[in-house]
Amino acid sequence: MTISFRSPLGFVLLLLAVLAFGYLLLPILVVVAAPLGDTGYLAFPPRGLTFKWYAAALHDTRYLSALAVSLRIALTSALIACTIGVAAAYGLTRFSFPGRRLLEAIFLSPLILPTLVLAVGLTLFFTRTGLLVGSWKLVAAHVIVCTPYVLRVSLPVLRRFDRSLEEAARNLGASPVMAFFLVVLPVVRPGIVAGTVLAFITSFDEVVLALFLAEPGAPTLPVMIYSAVQLGFEPSVAAVSGLLVLATLGLMILYHLLGTFGGRRN
Amino acid sequence: MDIQLQNLRKTYGSAVAVADMSAKIPQGRMLALLGPSGCGKTTTLRMVAGFIAPTSGSIRVGATDITTLPAHKRDTGLVFQSYALFPHLSAAENIAFGLRRRGVARAEREQRVTAMLDKLKLSGLADRLPRQLSGGQQQRVAVARALVINPSILLLDEPFSNLDAKLRESTGLEMSRLQREFGLTSIFVTHDQTEAMSIADTIAVMKDGELQQIGSASEIYERPANRFVADFIGRANFLAGRILRREGQDAVAELAAGLEMRLLDPGAAALPGAQGEALLRPEAIALADHASPGSFKATVEQISYQGAIANLHARLADGSAIVASVPPEDARGLAPGKLVGLAPKPAALIWFAKS
Ligand SMILES: Nc1ncnc2c1ncn2[C@@H]1O[C@H](COP(=O)(O)OP(=O)(O)OP(=O)(O)O)[C@@H](O)[C@H]1O
Ligand SMILES: [Mg+2]
């Protein structure tokens, strides 16, 4: 169904869409624009124009090292979650065994489990058992919450995957493992990339688990921002957030380019 | 190499998909598995390809038993009904896939792919992705991909069913030419009897997982083993009747309430009093005067001209419908309501005892 924007209904819909997007996106604009102001406190619209807060944020080594920690943890977590999630999704879609539905539900359950509960539980678990040290505790925690995102996205993709493609590969002499890497993976790649990006963003953005489980002295960026805000809201914190928004935007654009042009090697 | 299926059986729980399938396909010949939907054709083919493990029975290729060999180690080329072309690879890369898996060196690979592209009239389309090809072109890529590896067996699962009627016929003939040229032993699944008859050497008719009859197209058409086969292959009239008496090998039966007809060699079970049906093919009927002896009296209901023949739809005295295919010039002058005689040609009646 197509509705012309010239019709009354179309106009109302357009108006609603504009309002909804405005409501969703305006705060982001505030975050990006406010630190450009020349006042020592945050104001919107910004008064004067200065990049000093952005410069301060970029030169603050605490933020930079926190960013490095976050990137490292998010990347590791996303890659591990991607591997586990894709393997689990493949198993869940390819083989039927008793308890398959239950297993699927268990894999997806961290999506609905409150993170705080998980954080407390894992903190107790890690102190009791002494299992995993340093940043691996947080990575493990993030893998738990990120895997369901990968699974969520890859399950339908793998379910829709035409199994005869896999059979064709095997018929032409590829072992099951080769068939997976040569045919299944390339064909479902966009879905898996989407799931992994989602996992990365989830880990990068996560505060609660990081507060509980991050290595002392090596906080992640969200934890850093969180504590800075609690100490006093200086414009450089907003500048960090603004930078994050811009970086995310960059990531989204990159992802779209990958999705559109990366579907085919030439 | 020749293929031998021995008592091949596949069950899913209590459901029997294929029951006791046995067939032998000599080197270089093509067997068609023919039958209505759900009769077990695909299951049989997939057992040969190695995607389904038989419940019992064995598959031999030449002297080797391949029943438990994994699919990727079998030397079979399979053309899928949906073609199953790899969507992320170009036509040429699709065709090269099997050669790469076999470790064929780059130079030879390229040369074989190019030769195959030429052979299937695909040159110029080498770099296209499957979604940029028409249905017929995709089908040819799928065939090329299966042929280029020089398999000892070619398997085809309704490979033409997604093509339009005209393309279907020419592709079928082309396929059969290639199969002969490569000397490939092949199994071809179809539910289209015309297709099976025009391209296969041997036809296996299946129903509910059971093999009904296996033989050449003419054997199956002219001497169907049972009523199902007779009905499934070609058009058929069935005339209910009863055996009156035996005359040596032959028997005389009363058909369609009233007419005595001689049945040639109806089998030992056709004893006087036995009930059954006689098969009479539409084209084995000649038009006669309605009073002439040895012909069925029938009332014309409709005449449909098909170009080379005319189909005469008529009703017999006992109320059963009958179709006769006659030369159009014979049908001229006939009109609905007119009384005609329909004379079975010699040896045209085939008796099936009531089961
Ligand atoms: N995985 C399965 N589980 C249970 N029953 C199955 C399974 N696969 C096939 N069957 C049954 O086995 C029978 C034969 O199926 P098959 O696919 O071989 O039929 P076919 O002759 O190829 O039919 P069509 O012409 O529709 O493709 C069918 O009754 C089908 O329902
Ligand atoms: Mg089938």
Side-chain angles (χ1 to χ4, degrees), chain A residues 164-165 167-176 178 182-183 186-187 264, chain B residues 46 51 72 76-78 80 82 84-86 88 98 101-102 129 145:
Chain A
S164 60
L165 293 182
E167 289 176 349
R170 296 225 282 131
N171 178 255
L172 292 166
S175 67
M178 289 226 281
L182 291 173
V183 174
V187 173
R264 161 121 186 87
Chain B
R46 290 167 57 80
F51 297 131
H72 61 279
T76 59
L78 175 55
F80 290 78
S82 58
L85 296 179
F86 306 128
H88 59 300
R101 303 283 77 70
R102 281 162 176 72
L129 288 177
R145 187 176 69 175

PDB file of all heavy atoms in Angstrom, chain A residues 164-165 167-176 178 182-183 186-187 264, chain B residues 46 51 72 76-78 80 82 84-86 88 98 101-102 129 145:
ATOM      1  N   SER A 164      19.082 -26.745   0.492  1.00  0.00           N
ATOM      2  CA  SER A 164      19.578 -27.414  -0.706  1.00  0.00           C
ATOM      3  C   SER A 164      20.906 -26.801  -1.158  1.00  0.00           C
ATOM      4  O   SER A 164      21.690 -27.461  -1.837  1.00  0.00           O
ATOM      5  CB  SER A 164      18.537 -27.380  -1.824  1.00  0.00           C
ATOM      6  OG  SER A 164      18.215 -26.070  -2.153  1.00  0.00           O
ATOM      7  N   LEU A 165      21.181 -25.550  -0.758  1.00  0.00           N
ATOM      8  CA  LEU A 165      22.480 -24.957  -1.101  1.00  0.00           C
ATOM      9  C   LEU A 165      23.604 -25.729  -0.428  1.00  0.00           C
ATOM     10  O   LEU A 165      24.645 -26.014  -1.030  1.00  0.00           O
ATOM     11  CB  LEU A 165      22.546 -23.501  -0.643  1.00  0.00           C
ATOM     12  CG  LEU A 165      21.639 -22.514  -1.340  1.00  0.00           C
ATOM     13  CD1 LEU A 165      21.858 -21.125  -0.795  1.00  0.00           C
ATOM     14  CD2 LEU A 165      21.912 -22.542  -2.830  1.00  0.00           C
ATOM     15  N   GLU A 167      23.401 -28.795   0.551  1.00  0.00           N
ATOM     16  CA  GLU A 167      23.453 -30.117  -0.066  1.00  0.00           C
ATOM     17  C   GLU A 167      24.164 -30.053  -1.412  1.00  0.00           C
ATOM     18  O   GLU A 167      24.933 -30.955  -1.764  1.00  0.00           O
ATOM     19  CB  GLU A 167      22.040 -30.672  -0.228  1.00  0.00           C
ATOM     20  CG  GLU A 167      21.437 -31.042   1.102  1.00  0.00           C
ATOM     21  CD  GLU A 167      19.999 -31.508   0.982  1.00  0.00           C
ATOM     22  OE1 GLU A 167      19.400 -31.357  -0.103  1.00  0.00           O
ATOM     23  OE2 GLU A 167      19.481 -32.021   1.978  1.00  0.00           O
ATOM     24  N   ALA A 168      23.919 -28.964  -2.143  1.00  0.00           N
ATOM     25  CA  ALA A 168      24.596 -28.817  -3.431  1.00  0.00           C
ATOM     26  C   ALA A 168      26.108 -28.789  -3.214  1.00  0.00           C
ATOM     27  O   ALA A 168      26.863 -29.426  -3.946  1.00  0.00           O
ATOM     28  CB  ALA A 168      24.126 -27.544  -4.129  1.00  0.00           C
ATOM     29  N   ALA A 169      26.533 -28.056  -2.181  1.00  0.00           N
ATOM     30  CA  ALA A 169      27.970 -27.984  -1.897  1.00  0.00           C
ATOM     31  C   ALA A 169      28.522 -29.370  -1.567  1.00  0.00           C
ATOM     32  O   ALA A 169      29.582 -29.760  -2.051  1.00  0.00           O
ATOM     33  CB  ALA A 169      28.225 -27.023  -0.739  1.00  0.00           C
ATOM     34  N   ARG A 170      27.771 -30.114  -0.777  1.00  0.00           N
ATOM     35  CA  ARG A 170      28.241 -31.447  -0.408  1.00  0.00           C
ATOM     36  C   ARG A 170      28.250 -32.358  -1.625  1.00  0.00           C
ATOM     37  O   ARG A 170      29.171 -33.149  -1.820  1.00  0.00           O
ATOM     38  CB  ARG A 170      27.351 -32.032   0.680  1.00  0.00           C
ATOM     39  CG  ARG A 170      27.441 -31.198   1.944  1.00  0.00           C
ATOM     40  CD  ARG A 170      27.592 -32.039   3.165  1.00  0.00           C
ATOM     41  NE  ARG A 170      26.352 -32.620   3.587  1.00  0.00           N
ATOM     42  CZ  ARG A 170      26.194 -33.899   3.887  1.00  0.00           C
ATOM     43  NH1 ARG A 170      27.197 -34.733   3.773  1.00  0.00           N
ATOM     44  NH2 ARG A 170      25.030 -34.334   4.290  1.00  0.00           N
ATOM     45  N   ASN A 171      27.226 -32.205  -2.449  1.00  0.00           N
ATOM     46  CA  ASN A 171      27.168 -33.022  -3.655  1.00  0.00           C
ATOM     47  C   ASN A 171      28.369 -32.758  -4.558  1.00  0.00           C
ATOM     48  O   ASN A 171      28.840 -33.646  -5.265  1.00  0.00           O
ATOM     49  CB  ASN A 171      25.856 -32.725  -4.405  1.00  0.00           C
ATOM     50  CG  ASN A 171      25.758 -33.497  -5.694  1.00  0.00           C
ATOM     51  OD1 ASN A 171      25.926 -32.945  -6.770  1.00  0.00           O
ATOM     52  ND2 ASN A 171      25.525 -34.796  -5.570  1.00  0.00           N
ATOM     53  N   LEU A 172      28.879 -31.520  -4.506  1.00  0.00           N
ATOM     54  CA  LEU A 172      30.014 -31.175  -5.356  1.00  0.00           C
ATOM     55  C   LEU A 172      31.342 -31.499  -4.694  1.00  0.00           C
ATOM     56  O   LEU A 172      32.402 -31.161  -5.211  1.00  0.00           O
ATOM     57  CB  LEU A 172      29.950 -29.693  -5.725  1.00  0.00           C
ATOM     58  CG  LEU A 172      28.781 -29.347  -6.643  1.00  0.00           C
ATOM     59  CD1 LEU A 172      28.549 -27.854  -6.698  1.00  0.00           C
ATOM     60  CD2 LEU A 172      29.028 -29.884  -8.046  1.00  0.00           C
ATOM     61  N   GLY A 173      31.288 -32.130  -3.518  1.00  0.00           N
ATOM     62  CA  GLY A 173      32.528 -32.620  -2.926  1.00  0.00           C
ATOM     63  C   GLY A 173      33.003 -31.883  -1.695  1.00  0.00           C
ATOM     64  O   GLY A 173      34.115 -32.122  -1.237  1.00  0.00           O
ATOM     65  N   ALA A 174      32.193 -30.961  -1.158  1.00  0.00           N
ATOM     66  CA  ALA A 174      32.610 -30.246   0.047  1.00  0.00           C
ATOM     67  C   ALA A 174      32.165 -31.030   1.279  1.00  0.00           C
ATOM     68  O   ALA A 174      31.016 -31.465   1.338  1.00  0.00           O
ATOM     69  CB  ALA A 174      32.013 -28.848   0.069  1.00  0.00           C
ATOM     70  N   SER A 175      33.066 -31.174   2.239  1.00  0.00           N
ATOM     71  CA  SER A 175      32.687 -31.845   3.480  1.00  0.00           C
ATOM     72  C   SER A 175      31.688 -30.946   4.219  1.00  0.00           C
ATOM     73  O   SER A 175      31.572 -29.762   3.899  1.00  0.00           O
ATOM     74  CB  SER A 175      33.923 -32.068   4.338  1.00  0.00           C
ATOM     75  OG  SER A 175      34.416 -30.812   4.757  1.00  0.00           O
ATOM     76  N   PRO A 176      30.961 -31.473   5.198  1.00  0.00           N
ATOM     77  CA  PRO A 176      29.994 -30.634   5.906  1.00  0.00           C
ATOM     78  C   PRO A 176      30.615 -29.357   6.456  1.00  0.00           C
ATOM     79  O   PRO A 176      30.016 -28.279   6.370  1.00  0.00           O
ATOM     80  CB  PRO A 176      29.505 -31.539   7.035  1.00  0.00           C
ATOM     81  CG  PRO A 176      29.686 -32.930   6.515  1.00  0.00           C
ATOM     82  CD  PRO A 176      30.892 -32.883   5.635  1.00  0.00           C
ATOM     83  N   MET A 178      33.309 -27.739   5.315  1.00  0.00           N
ATOM     84  CA  MET A 178      33.611 -26.848   4.198  1.00  0.00           C
ATOM     85  C   MET A 178      32.339 -26.231   3.650  1.00  0.00           C
ATOM     86  O   MET A 178      32.317 -25.049   3.308  1.00  0.00           O
ATOM     87  CB  MET A 178      34.317 -27.630   3.100  1.00  0.00           C
ATOM     88  CG  MET A 178      35.722 -28.003   3.484  1.00  0.00           C
ATOM     89  SD  MET A 178      36.819 -27.649   2.155  1.00  0.00           S
ATOM     90  CE  MET A 178      36.545 -29.020   1.098  1.00  0.00           C
ATOM     91  N   LEU A 182      32.034 -22.368   3.205  1.00  0.00           N
ATOM     92  CA  LEU A 182      32.056 -21.875   1.826  1.00  0.00           C
ATOM     93  C   LEU A 182      30.692 -21.401   1.342  1.00  0.00           C
ATOM     94  O   LEU A 182      30.596 -20.563   0.464  1.00  0.00           O
ATOM     95  CB  LEU A 182      32.558 -22.977   0.882  1.00  0.00           C
ATOM     96  CG  LEU A 182      34.027 -23.334   1.027  1.00  0.00           C
ATOM     97  CD1 LEU A 182      34.369 -24.532   0.176  1.00  0.00           C
ATOM     98  CD2 LEU A 182      34.890 -22.139   0.650  1.00  0.00           C
ATOM     99  N   VAL A 183      29.631 -21.965   1.901  1.00  0.00           N
ATOM    100  CA  VAL A 183      28.311 -21.612   1.386  1.00  0.00           C
ATOM    101  C   VAL A 183      27.409 -21.010   2.457  1.00  0.00           C
ATOM    102  O   VAL A 183      26.900 -19.898   2.294  1.00  0.00           O
ATOM    103  CB  VAL A 183      27.633 -22.844   0.740  1.00  0.00           C
ATOM    104  CG1 VAL A 183      26.218 -22.512   0.346  1.00  0.00           C
ATOM    105  CG2 VAL A 183      28.431 -23.304  -0.457  1.00  0.00           C
ATOM    106  N   PRO A 186      28.910 -17.458   4.004  1.00  0.00           N
ATOM    107  CA  PRO A 186      28.837 -16.292   3.111  1.00  0.00           C
ATOM    108  C   PRO A 186      27.401 -15.852   2.828  1.00  0.00           C
ATOM    109  O   PRO A 186      27.132 -14.662   2.732  1.00  0.00           O
ATOM    110  CB  PRO A 186      29.493 -16.780   1.816  1.00  0.00           C
ATOM    111  CG  PRO A 186      30.317 -17.938   2.208  1.00  0.00           C
ATOM    112  CD  PRO A 186      29.666 -18.565   3.395  1.00  0.00           C
ATOM    113  N   VAL A 187      26.488 -16.820   2.718  1.00  0.00           N
ATOM    114  CA  VAL A 187      25.119 -16.451   2.358  1.00  0.00           C
ATOM    115  C   VAL A 187      24.410 -15.767   3.526  1.00  0.00           C
ATOM    116  O   VAL A 187      23.680 -14.801   3.337  1.00  0.00           O
ATOM    117  CB  VAL A 187      24.319 -17.690   1.870  1.00  0.00           C
ATOM    118  CG1 VAL A 187      22.867 -17.341   1.671  1.00  0.00           C
ATOM    119  CG2 VAL A 187      24.916 -18.208   0.579  1.00  0.00           C
ATOM    120  N   ARG A 264      29.414  -8.931  -1.958  1.00  0.00           N
ATOM    121  CA  ARG A 264      29.983  -9.622  -3.106  1.00  0.00           C
ATOM    122  C   ARG A 264      31.432  -9.218  -3.246  1.00  0.00           C
ATOM    123  O   ARG A 264      31.767  -8.047  -3.256  1.00  0.00           O
ATOM    124  CB  ARG A 264      29.162  -9.191  -4.325  1.00  0.00           C
ATOM    125  CG  ARG A 264      29.835  -9.412  -5.642  1.00  0.00           C
ATOM    126  CD  ARG A 264      29.002 -10.330  -6.494  1.00  0.00           C
ATOM    127  NE  ARG A 264      29.729 -10.641  -7.696  1.00  0.00           N
ATOM    128  CZ  ARG A 264      30.584 -11.623  -7.778  1.00  0.00           C
ATOM    129  NH1 ARG A 264      30.818 -12.387  -6.756  1.00  0.00           N
ATOM    130  NH2 ARG A 264      31.219 -11.870  -8.900  1.00  0.00           N
TER     131      ARG A 264
ATOM    132  N   ARG B  46      17.434 -38.954  -3.297  1.00  0.00           N
ATOM    133  CA  ARG B  46      18.299 -38.425  -2.235  1.00  0.00           C
ATOM    134  C   ARG B  46      19.052 -39.531  -1.506  1.00  0.00           C
ATOM    135  O   ARG B  46      20.097 -39.295  -0.938  1.00  0.00           O
ATOM    136  CB  ARG B  46      17.479 -37.564  -1.275  1.00  0.00           C
ATOM    137  CG  ARG B  46      17.033 -36.245  -1.935  1.00  0.00           C
ATOM    138  CD  ARG B  46      15.973 -35.537  -1.137  1.00  0.00           C
ATOM    139  NE  ARG B  46      16.412 -35.279   0.209  1.00  0.00           N
ATOM    140  CZ  ARG B  46      17.214 -34.265   0.567  1.00  0.00           C
ATOM    141  NH1 ARG B  46      17.600 -33.420  -0.347  1.00  0.00           N
ATOM    142  NH2 ARG B  46      17.582 -34.111   1.805  1.00  0.00           N
ATOM    143  N   PHE B  51      22.016 -38.066   0.818  1.00  0.00           N
ATOM    144  CA  PHE B  51      21.455 -37.129   1.785  1.00  0.00           C
ATOM    145  C   PHE B  51      20.474 -37.794   2.739  1.00  0.00           C
ATOM    146  O   PHE B  51      20.091 -37.231   3.746  1.00  0.00           O
ATOM    147  CB  PHE B  51      20.768 -35.961   1.078  1.00  0.00           C
ATOM    148  CG  PHE B  51      21.708 -35.154   0.259  1.00  0.00           C
ATOM    149  CD1 PHE B  51      21.404 -34.828  -1.051  1.00  0.00           C
ATOM    150  CD2 PHE B  51      22.917 -34.733   0.786  1.00  0.00           C
ATOM    151  CE1 PHE B  51      22.292 -34.092  -1.818  1.00  0.00           C
ATOM    152  CE2 PHE B  51      23.804 -33.994   0.035  1.00  0.00           C
ATOM    153  CZ  PHE B  51      23.489 -33.677  -1.280  1.00  0.00           C
ATOM    154  N   HIS B  72      29.529 -36.242   0.197  1.00  0.00           N
ATOM    155  CA  HIS B  72      30.580 -35.528  -0.530  1.00  0.00           C
ATOM    156  C   HIS B  72      31.647 -36.457  -1.087  1.00  0.00           C
ATOM    157  O   HIS B  72      32.508 -36.013  -1.834  1.00  0.00           O
ATOM    158  CB  HIS B  72      31.201 -34.443   0.350  1.00  0.00           C
ATOM    159  CG  HIS B  72      31.863 -34.954   1.600  1.00  0.00           C
ATOM    160  ND1 HIS B  72      31.147 -35.270   2.732  1.00  0.00           N
ATOM    161  CD2 HIS B  72      33.153 -35.184   1.887  1.00  0.00           C
ATOM    162  CE1 HIS B  72      31.981 -35.680   3.668  1.00  0.00           C
ATOM    163  NE2 HIS B  72      33.203 -35.640   3.185  1.00  0.00           N
ATOM    164  N   THR B  76      28.577 -38.209  -7.567  1.00  0.00           N
ATOM    165  CA  THR B  76      27.295 -37.961  -8.236  1.00  0.00           C
ATOM    166  C   THR B  76      27.143 -36.475  -8.518  1.00  0.00           C
ATOM    167  O   THR B  76      27.569 -35.643  -7.733  1.00  0.00           O
ATOM    168  CB  THR B  76      26.111 -38.387  -7.351  1.00  0.00           C
ATOM    169  OG1 THR B  76      26.172 -37.639  -6.134  1.00  0.00           O
ATOM    170  CG2 THR B  76      26.157 -39.858  -7.025  1.00  0.00           C
ATOM    171  N   GLY B  77      26.543 -36.162  -9.646  1.00  0.00           N
ATOM    172  CA  GLY B  77      26.198 -34.777  -9.934  1.00  0.00           C
ATOM    173  C   GLY B  77      24.693 -34.654  -9.798  1.00  0.00           C
ATOM    174  O   GLY B  77      23.955 -35.431 -10.391  1.00  0.00           O
ATOM    175  N   LEU B  78      24.246 -33.707  -8.979  1.00  0.00           N
ATOM    176  CA  LEU B  78      22.812 -33.589  -8.724  1.00  0.00           C
ATOM    177  C   LEU B  78      22.316 -32.234  -9.206  1.00  0.00           C
ATOM    178  O   LEU B  78      22.908 -31.204  -8.890  1.00  0.00           O
ATOM    179  CB  LEU B  78      22.555 -33.760  -7.220  1.00  0.00           C
ATOM    180  CG  LEU B  78      21.159 -33.559  -6.664  1.00  0.00           C
ATOM    181  CD1 LEU B  78      20.145 -34.450  -7.365  1.00  0.00           C
ATOM    182  CD2 LEU B  78      21.136 -33.841  -5.175  1.00  0.00           C
ATOM    183  N   PHE B  80      19.270 -29.813  -8.787  1.00  0.00           N
ATOM    184  CA  PHE B  80      18.131 -29.640  -7.880  1.00  0.00           C
ATOM    185  C   PHE B  80      16.952 -29.016  -8.605  1.00  0.00           C
ATOM    186  O   PHE B  80      17.119 -28.254  -9.548  1.00  0.00           O
ATOM    187  CB  PHE B  80      18.526 -28.726  -6.713  1.00  0.00           C
ATOM    188  CG  PHE B  80      19.488 -29.355  -5.757  1.00  0.00           C
ATOM    189  CD1 PHE B  80      20.831 -29.439  -6.061  1.00  0.00           C
ATOM    190  CD2 PHE B  80      19.060 -29.858  -4.539  1.00  0.00           C
ATOM    191  CE1 PHE B  80      21.730 -30.018  -5.181  1.00  0.00           C
ATOM    192  CE2 PHE B  80      19.953 -30.431  -3.650  1.00  0.00           C
ATOM    193  CZ  PHE B  80      21.282 -30.511  -3.976  1.00  0.00           C
ATOM    194  N   SER B  82      15.151 -26.705  -7.434  1.00  0.00           N
ATOM    195  CA  SER B  82      15.242 -25.257  -7.244  1.00  0.00           C
ATOM    196  C   SER B  82      16.579 -24.723  -7.752  1.00  0.00           C
ATOM    197  O   SER B  82      16.904 -23.575  -7.533  1.00  0.00           O
ATOM    198  CB  SER B  82      15.114 -24.939  -5.763  1.00  0.00           C
ATOM    199  OG  SER B  82      16.129 -25.627  -5.045  1.00  0.00           O
ATOM    200  N   ALA B  84      19.382 -24.558  -6.713  1.00  0.00           N
ATOM    201  CA  ALA B  84      20.332 -24.417  -5.599  1.00  0.00           C
ATOM    202  C   ALA B  84      21.659 -23.832  -6.043  1.00  0.00           C
ATOM    203  O   ALA B  84      22.716 -24.290  -5.642  1.00  0.00           O
ATOM    204  CB  ALA B  84      20.540 -25.769  -4.894  1.00  0.00           C
ATOM    205  N   LEU B  85      21.609 -22.795  -6.851  1.00  0.00           N
ATOM    206  CA  LEU B  85      22.852 -22.107  -7.219  1.00  0.00           C
ATOM    207  C   LEU B  85      23.313 -21.272  -6.039  1.00  0.00           C
ATOM    208  O   LEU B  85      22.493 -20.734  -5.307  1.00  0.00           O
ATOM    209  CB  LEU B  85      22.613 -21.196  -8.433  1.00  0.00           C
ATOM    210  CG  LEU B  85      22.218 -21.905  -9.720  1.00  0.00           C
ATOM    211  CD1 LEU B  85      21.999 -20.883 -10.828  1.00  0.00           C
ATOM    212  CD2 LEU B  85      23.276 -22.908 -10.121  1.00  0.00           C
ATOM    213  N   PHE B  86      24.636 -21.192  -5.841  1.00  0.00           N
ATOM    214  CA  PHE B  86      25.145 -20.411  -4.725  1.00  0.00           C
ATOM    215  C   PHE B  86      24.945 -18.930  -5.044  1.00  0.00           C
ATOM    216  O   PHE B  86      25.530 -18.420  -6.003  1.00  0.00           O
ATOM    217  CB  PHE B  86      26.623 -20.726  -4.502  1.00  0.00           C
ATOM    218  CG  PHE B  86      26.879 -22.200  -4.331  1.00  0.00           C
ATOM    219  CD1 PHE B  86      27.832 -22.850  -5.087  1.00  0.00           C
ATOM    220  CD2 PHE B  86      26.134 -22.953  -3.422  1.00  0.00           C
ATOM    221  CE1 PHE B  86      28.064 -24.213  -4.936  1.00  0.00           C
ATOM    222  CE2 PHE B  86      26.350 -24.313  -3.268  1.00  0.00           C
ATOM    223  CZ  PHE B  86      27.306 -24.942  -4.031  1.00  0.00           C
ATOM    224  N   HIS B  88      25.963 -16.236  -3.803  1.00  0.00           N
ATOM    225  CA  HIS B  88      27.057 -15.279  -3.644  1.00  0.00           C
ATOM    226  C   HIS B  88      28.172 -15.509  -4.663  1.00  0.00           C
ATOM    227  O   HIS B  88      29.165 -14.796  -4.652  1.00  0.00           O
ATOM    228  CB  HIS B  88      27.628 -15.362  -2.231  1.00  0.00           C
ATOM    229  CG  HIS B  88      28.145 -16.730  -1.873  1.00  0.00           C
ATOM    230  ND1 HIS B  88      27.344 -17.856  -1.872  1.00  0.00           N
ATOM    231  CD2 HIS B  88      29.378 -17.150  -1.522  1.00  0.00           C
ATOM    232  CE1 HIS B  88      28.074 -18.901  -1.524  1.00  0.00           C
ATOM    233  NE2 HIS B  88      29.307 -18.500  -1.309  1.00  0.00           N
ATOM    234  N   GLY B  98      32.823 -27.394  -7.843  1.00  0.00           N
ATOM    235  CA  GLY B  98      33.165 -28.806  -7.701  1.00  0.00           C
ATOM    236  C   GLY B  98      34.602 -29.105  -8.115  1.00  0.00           C
ATOM    237  O   GLY B  98      35.260 -29.953  -7.530  1.00  0.00           O
ATOM    238  N   ARG B 101      36.911 -28.146  -5.296  1.00  0.00           N
ATOM    239  CA  ARG B 101      36.892 -29.159  -4.223  1.00  0.00           C
ATOM    240  C   ARG B 101      37.718 -30.366  -4.615  1.00  0.00           C
ATOM    241  O   ARG B 101      38.244 -31.069  -3.787  1.00  0.00           O
ATOM    242  CB  ARG B 101      35.467 -29.606  -3.895  1.00  0.00           C
ATOM    243  CG  ARG B 101      34.531 -28.494  -3.487  1.00  0.00           C
ATOM    244  CD  ARG B 101      34.774 -28.036  -2.063  1.00  0.00           C
ATOM    245  NE  ARG B 101      35.935 -27.178  -1.907  1.00  0.00           N
ATOM    246  CZ  ARG B 101      36.027 -25.932  -2.355  1.00  0.00           C
ATOM    247  NH1 ARG B 101      35.049 -25.388  -3.030  1.00  0.00           N
ATOM    248  NH2 ARG B 101      37.110 -25.219  -2.151  1.00  0.00           N
ATOM    249  N   ARG B 102      37.837 -30.596  -5.914  1.00  0.00           N
ATOM    250  CA  ARG B 102      38.615 -31.733  -6.372  1.00  0.00           C
ATOM    251  C   ARG B 102      40.069 -31.374  -6.608  1.00  0.00           C
ATOM    252  O   ARG B 102      40.828 -32.172  -7.141  1.00  0.00           O
ATOM    253  CB  ARG B 102      37.987 -32.295  -7.652  1.00  0.00           C
ATOM    254  CG  ARG B 102      36.787 -33.167  -7.372  1.00  0.00           C
ATOM    255  CD  ARG B 102      35.932 -33.357  -8.602  1.00  0.00           C
ATOM    256  NE  ARG B 102      34.856 -34.276  -8.327  1.00  0.00           N
ATOM    257  CZ  ARG B 102      33.812 -33.997  -7.572  1.00  0.00           C
ATOM    258  NH1 ARG B 102      33.726 -32.816  -6.996  1.00  0.00           N
ATOM    259  NH2 ARG B 102      32.856 -34.886  -7.361  1.00  0.00           N
ATOM    260  N   LEU B 129      25.675 -12.973 -11.430  1.00  0.00           N
ATOM    261  CA  LEU B 129      25.221 -13.688 -10.239  1.00  0.00           C
ATOM    262  C   LEU B 129      23.930 -14.421 -10.587  1.00  0.00           C
ATOM    263  O   LEU B 129      23.207 -14.009 -11.499  1.00  0.00           O
ATOM    264  CB  LEU B 129      24.945 -12.700  -9.108  1.00  0.00           C
ATOM    265  CG  LEU B 129      26.181 -12.059  -8.467  1.00  0.00           C
ATOM    266  CD1 LEU B 129      25.754 -11.057  -7.414  1.00  0.00           C
ATOM    267  CD2 LEU B 129      27.066 -13.128  -7.852  1.00  0.00           C
ATOM    268  N   ARG B 145      27.115 -27.080 -13.754  1.00  0.00           N
ATOM    269  CA  ARG B 145      27.826 -27.298 -12.493  1.00  0.00           C
ATOM    270  C   ARG B 145      27.894 -28.788 -12.159  1.00  0.00           C
ATOM    271  O   ARG B 145      28.877 -29.276 -11.617  1.00  0.00           O
ATOM    272  CB  ARG B 145      27.087 -26.533 -11.379  1.00  0.00           C
ATOM    273  CG  ARG B 145      27.791 -26.527 -10.057  1.00  0.00           C
ATOM    274  CD  ARG B 145      27.065 -25.686  -9.044  1.00  0.00           C
ATOM    275  NE  ARG B 145      25.797 -26.288  -8.658  1.00  0.00           N
ATOM    276  CZ  ARG B 145      25.005 -25.802  -7.707  1.00  0.00           C
ATOM    277  NH1 ARG B 145      25.334 -24.696  -7.077  1.00  0.00           N
ATOM    278  NH2 ARG B 145      23.871 -26.394  -7.408  1.00  0.00           N
TER     279      ARG B 145
END
